[in-house]
Amino acid sequence: VQLQASGGGLVQAGGSLRLSCAASGSISGLLFSRSNVGWYRQAPGKQRESVARLFSGGSTDYLDSVKGRFTISRDNAKNSVYLQMNNLKPEDTALYYCNVRTPPLFRDYWGQGTQVTVSS
């Protein structure tokens, strides 16, 4: 399974970006729809952290600092997951990774990372 992330860039504080991640390879639409998906980020010198997760049942989980600003969504027909980021802050600057966790063994797949840089 390959994950291709895109949509990162340089934006001023208060701006918006939309990250996209498309899964391809040995993952069917049915398996993707049953998978949990998420976005993680890692800033220089810091550990990778979970930003937003969307579970197969529809529930979501967000990092406290992004609640109300970021929205995760998915399009199972396109094997894709998205992260809409609004009101971006300099502290959101990081390399963002998409993740797909497939059942039944919760195997993790990762995208290559897309850089988000927010200037003050």
Side-chain angles (χ1 to χ4, degrees), residues 24-72:
S24 61
S26 56
I27 182 167
S28 67
L30 180 60
L31 180 59
F32 182 84
S33 69
R34 293 177 175 177
S35 299
N36 299 332
V37 297
W39 289 93
Y40 293 71
R41 69 187 183 188
Q42 187 168 18
K46 296 188 177 181
Q47 290 188 329
R48 187 177 296 189
E49 61 183 356
S50 172
V51 176
R53 294 184 293 173
L54 175 55
F55 300 97
S56 58
S59 61
T60 56
D61 178 68
Y62 290 94
L63 183 68
D64 282 346
S65 63
V66 309
K67 286 180 180 177
R69 301 189 296 121
F70 291 11
T71 303
I72 187 171

Side-chain angles (χ1 to χ4, degrees), residues 1 9 21-22 43 48 61 71 81-82 85 87 90-91 96 98 102 105 110 113 115:
V1 176
C21 178
R48 187 177 296 189
D61 178 68
T71 303
V81 57
Y82 308 98
M85 305 185 294
N87 190 22
E91 52 263 42
Y96 283 70
C98 59
T102 61
L105 299 179
W110 295 92
Q115 179 67 39

Side-chain angles (χ1 to χ4, degrees), residues 99-109:
N99 168 264
V100 175
R101 177 169 287 183
T102 61
L105 299 179
F106 300 107
R107 183 171 180 177
D108 280 315
Y109 297 93

Side-chain angles (χ1 to χ4, degrees), residues 77-95:
K78 296 182 179 180
N79 281 9
S80 293
V81 57
Y82 308 98
L83 185 67
Q84 178 66 44
M85 305 185 294
N86 298 327
N87 190 22
L88 282 160
K89 302 177 180 180
E91 52 263 42
D92 295 319
T93 295
L95 192 60

